[in-house]
């Protein structure tokens, strides 16, 4: 997975960090039996997804792979399995 650079973008990092904070907030308020705080944490989780998606749309995510690159990757995969 390290070779594919999966998720190594500012959009991914920001979305995951915001969602993780929301998860922690929701967990604390769930233990504290405070429904309002719990739902606020859930809202922050969704906010993380929205922020990550917006940053990806703004060009801070992983670029789309071109058709030539996809064909080269498939060709290299076939070459490795034919040995």
């Amino acid at each position: 997975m390290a070779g594919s650079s999966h998720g190594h973008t500012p959009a991914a990092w920001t979305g995951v960090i915001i969602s993780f904070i929301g998860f922690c907030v929701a967990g604390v308020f769930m233990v504290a039996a405070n429904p309002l705080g719990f739902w606020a944490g859930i809202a922050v989780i969704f906010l993380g997804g929205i922020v990550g998606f917006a940053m990806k749309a703004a060009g801070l995510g992983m670029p789309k792979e071109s058709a030539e690159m996809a064909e080269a990757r498939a060709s290299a995969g076939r070459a490795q399995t034919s040995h």
Side-chain angles (χ1 to χ4, degrees), residues 4-82:
S4 69
S5 296
H6 178 74
H8 296 274
T9 64
W13 278 101
T14 304
V16 168
I17 289 170
I18 292 171
S19 296
F20 180 70
I21 291 169
F23 175 78
C24 292
V25 168
V28 166
F29 281 107
M30 183 172 59
V31 171
N34 184 331
L36 184 60
F38 169 78
W39 288 111
I42 296 297
V44 172
I45 292 171
F46 285 113
L47 178 67
I50 293 167
V51 167
F53 183 76
M55 288 179 70
K56 181 180 177 188
L60 295 171
M62 191 70 88
K64 297 275 186 196
E65 186 174 62
S66 68
E68 294 84 18
M69 186 61 128
E71 178 56 37
R73 184 183 310 277
S75 176
R78 287 190 299 268
Q80 283 183 341
T81 57
S82 66

